[in-house]
Amino acid sequence: MAVFTPKQRLLLAIVPPLAVTLIRLLGATLRYRDVNAPATPVGIDVPGPTIFAFWHCALLVSAHRFRNKGIAILISRSFDGELIARIVERLGFVAVRGSSTRGGPQALRGMQQAYTDGLICAFTADGPKGPARIAKPGPVHLAELTGANWIGAFHGQPDRAWELRSWDRFMIPKPFTTVTFSWPVHTAPELAPVQQSLDEAVAMTSRLQSQ
């Protein structure tokens, strides 16, 4: 179990409930629309167990839209990860702790159990610390463990957003904006196709917003 400083414990007590309240208030003003590749449904409409990947920058909009669905999400064991885990758990996600690199085997066993339990399993493919929009092999490793024959990808892009100066250019949508979610064709459980699918997800939102 991680040991936190007094300052960190105070932040862990204050930040998650405050963040969840703000996410819910902001989310209530957002509108969502989907752009789908042919014969590709919105991911949440596909019965689990499934594996999906998305970029870390879209974590906030994804956390609001897909709240209370029991989706398992892999989150690092860092202090920042602890903050995120406590926030997403309050939003109805299942936080599986670890990363695809540090503590990888234990984390993947947790995701394997979530998959076995029939859950949607989601990975921030470039998390927890980048490089931004470069896919890591976590989703592929889970597919190998579970025998899954495809991986889905998606991206959520607000029409208007504040972009933080963080490694991932984390996006906070502005109130009353529309968030476009894109769903490219499901791909083979291999790293290069997953990268291509994630890139296509971003391109799909860009094309729609430029029309």
Side-chain angles (χ1 to χ4, degrees), residues 33-42 55 133 153-157 159 180-186 196-211:
R33 63 179 174 179
D34 294 293
V35 55
N36 304 62
T40 304
V42 173
W55 295 136
R133 302 196 180 186
F154 69 89
H155 181 61
Q157 181 66 48
D159 285 352
T180 302
F181 278 85
S182 55
W183 305 92
V185 173
H186 299 157
Q196 292 170 1
S197 189
L198 286 161
D199 291 341
E200 173 60 15
V202 174
M204 289 170 68
T205 60
S206 298
R207 287 195 294 267
L208 184 62
Q209 290 178 331
S210 65
Q211 292 176 0

Side-chain angles (χ1 to χ4, degrees), residues 118-140:
L119 302 185
I120 298 172
C121 297
F123 288 78
T124 52
D126 54 347
K129 293 184 178 180
R133 302 196 180 186
I134 301 297
K136 294 180 180 178
V140 175

Side-chain angles (χ1 to χ4, degrees), residues 78-96:
S78 65
F79 172 69
D80 288 347
E82 184 68 26
L83 279 173
I84 293 171
R86 296 191 186 194
I87 290 168
V88 299
E89 285 175 339
R90 287 171 177 263
L91 291 169
F93 291 81
V94 176
V96 177

Side-chain angles (χ1 to χ4, degrees), residues 48-195:
T50 54
I51 303 172
F52 279 86
F54 66 106
W55 295 136
H56 198 277
C57 62
L59 183 58
L60 192 154
V61 292
S62 301
H64 180 262
R65 182 177 182 187
F66 304 121
R67 66 198 184 280
N68 299 324
K69 302 293 186 182
I71 297 170
I73 184 168
L74 186 63
I75 298 174
S76 76
R77 291 187 176 276
S78 65
F79 172 69
D80 288 347
E82 184 68 26
L83 279 173
I84 293 171
R86 296 191 186 194
I87 290 168
V88 299
E89 285 175 339
R90 287 171 177 263
L91 291 169
F93 291 81
V94 176
V96 177
R97 305 307 305 278
S99 73
S100 56
T101 51
R102 180 178 295 180
Q106 180 180 355
L108 284 172
R109 283 196 296 272
M111 292 297 273
Q112 182 182 17
Q113 184 60 54
Y115 187 95
T116 300
D117 291 341
L119 302 185
I120 298 172
C121 297
F123 288 78
T124 52
D126 54 347
K129 293 184 178 180
R133 302 196 180 186
I134 301 297
K136 294 180 180 178
V140 175
H141 288 165
L142 181 59
E144 292 171 348
L145 284 173
T146 60
N149 57 15
W150 60 268
I151 292 173
F154 69 89
H155 181 61
Q157 181 66 48
D159 285 352
R160 297 178 296 110
W162 293 287
E163 193 174 274
L164 303 187
R165 294 182 179 178
S166 54
W167 66 266
D168 60 344
R169 311 302 292 179
F170 191 84
M171 297 181 296
I172 301 174
K174 294 184 178 181
F176 303 101
T177 196
T178 296
V179 183
T180 302
F181 278 85
S182 55
W183 305 92
V185 173
H186 299 157
T187 192
E190 301 170 9
L191 187 57
V194 169
Q195 177 73 51

